[in-house]
Amino acid sequence: MTDSKYFPTFLAGLPSMTDKTVVITGTTSGTGKIAAATVAGLGAKVLVLNRASERSTAAFAELTAAHPDADLYSVECDLQSFDSVRAAAAKVAELSPGGVDVLANNAGVMALADTATGDGYDVQMQTNHLSHFLLTRELMPLLEVAAEARGEARVANHSSVARMAPSKKLQGKYLEANGGNLGGDGSGIQNMVFNGPRWQRYNQSKLANAAFTAALHHRLQSSSSKVKALVAHPGLANTHLQLTSVKEGGMGNMFTNIFMRFSQTPEDGAMGLLSCMCLAGAKSGQFYGPGSGAMAMRGKADPFDLEPFYDNDATRNLLWSKSEAAIGGSFDI
Ligand SMILES: NC(=O)c1ccc[n+]([C@@H]2O[C@H](COP(=O)([O-])OP(=O)(O)OC[C@H]3O[C@@H](n4cnc5c(N)ncnc54)[C@H](OP(=O)(O)O)[C@@H]3O)[C@@H](O)[C@H]2O)c1
């Protein structure tokens, strides 16, 4: 936390999370790791959902060592597999008889090659959005239980400034079973504009995170649910995300080193997500991040409104119908 500019003050202002059950994906590094440790420190029961790996085992050992008195559970969940997500949701239900107060859909990958998951979807879209859509559907009854018992519950999604690039228009083909046929492996970074096919797929997945929030928010409001839908972005945070992209051929090493000079710490980057998860005043339909513009890379997480380029009937309905088709079932609120 040495270089974090805002996190210590932000942390001091967070409320107690005692009596809350928090489910969070992707806690082996980065913003998810910080968010899981933070809510554990605030007294929450925490269920971390990760795919099996040495990173996952080590991160859970670190979490339990840092918070020996906390109620912590590790649940295996590979977001590249719908079956794995369904099994994880069943395990969460078993471990959470009192409901789920916060579902943080945090995990993500960036600029991977044009490959299909075993389910046939783009690896980035399935990991970043479709599996989180399924997880949210499966856990909605538990979110409703918590909301009835304690007045509210929340779904916090994690988007990016990439939601704006380049077209601001969600395209159905990225949500269909077209994995491996979505433009190829070019990275196409020119003059700091990330517009090659690897990035188009990432951008679409991060636009889907925002569109999902908007669609969920409207549906929850229409049914007078006490469950809230919120979304965050971390600006540019120095996490494992970029390392994976470099390793997988999505960004050059030298370029990344220069680019990351503009980044903030993972703790500062986690403030938007933690605001959605914890802040007492956070409202459904709010976006938290270091600004709403395309250059909002660093700074305090402030709330702003969902944006018209995805918060519109056509985009919300496209997102919902394509996501339902992908998971093979309806998601009725
Ligand atoms: N860092 C930034 O500047 C930035 C900017 C905008 C948005 N974001 C968003 O912030 C979120 C968190 O990313 P981060 O920056 O903290 O990156 P990170 O350090 O790479 O963390 C990503 C997490 O997602 C997990 N994950 C990846 N694939 C998975 C799968 N198939 N199943 C389960 N978990 C999986 C990773 O676990 P493994 O160890 O298994 O890989 C890891 O725990 C992402 O949604 C990302 O798009 C980050």
Side-chain angles (χ1 to χ4, degrees), residues 10 14 154 230 270-280 282 288 301:
F10 171 79
L14 289 179
R154 301 173 183 201
L230 302 102
M271 293 188 301
L273 184 66
L274 280 164
S275 298
C276 295
M277 294 167 67
C278 305
L279 283 189
Y288 275 87

Side-chain angles (χ1 to χ4, degrees), residues 28-29 31 51 55 78-79 106 159 202 206 237 239-241:
T28 60
S29 58
T31 56
R51 55 184 164 174
R55 274 163 57 76
D78 183 351
L79 297 165
N106 164 73
S159 183
Y202 180 68
K206 293 288 113 181
T239 66
H240 208 262
L241 194 71

Side-chain angles (χ1 to χ4, degrees), residues 137 140 219 320 324 329-333:
R137 183 190 75 157
M140 190 51 72
R219 281 168 166 77
W320 207 268
E324 283 185 326
S330 61
F331 182 177
D332 301 319
I333 304 281

Side-chain angles (χ1 to χ4, degrees), residues 183-196:
D185 293 342
S187 60
I189 303 172
Q190 280 167 346
N191 303 323
M192 303 289 269
V193 177
F194 295 65
N195 60 5

Side-chain angles (χ1 to χ4, degrees), residues 244-277:
T244 310
S245 300
V246 169
K247 201 175 105 205
E248 300 286 334
M251 296 202 282
N253 205 11
M254 197 193 293
F255 171 82
T256 305
N257 287 338
I258 296 168
F259 186 62
M260 291 312 287
R261 287 187 197 151
F262 299 97
S263 68
Q264 57 184 357
T265 63
E267 287 82 2
D268 282 347
M271 293 188 301
L273 184 66
L274 280 164
S275 298
C276 295
M277 294 167 67

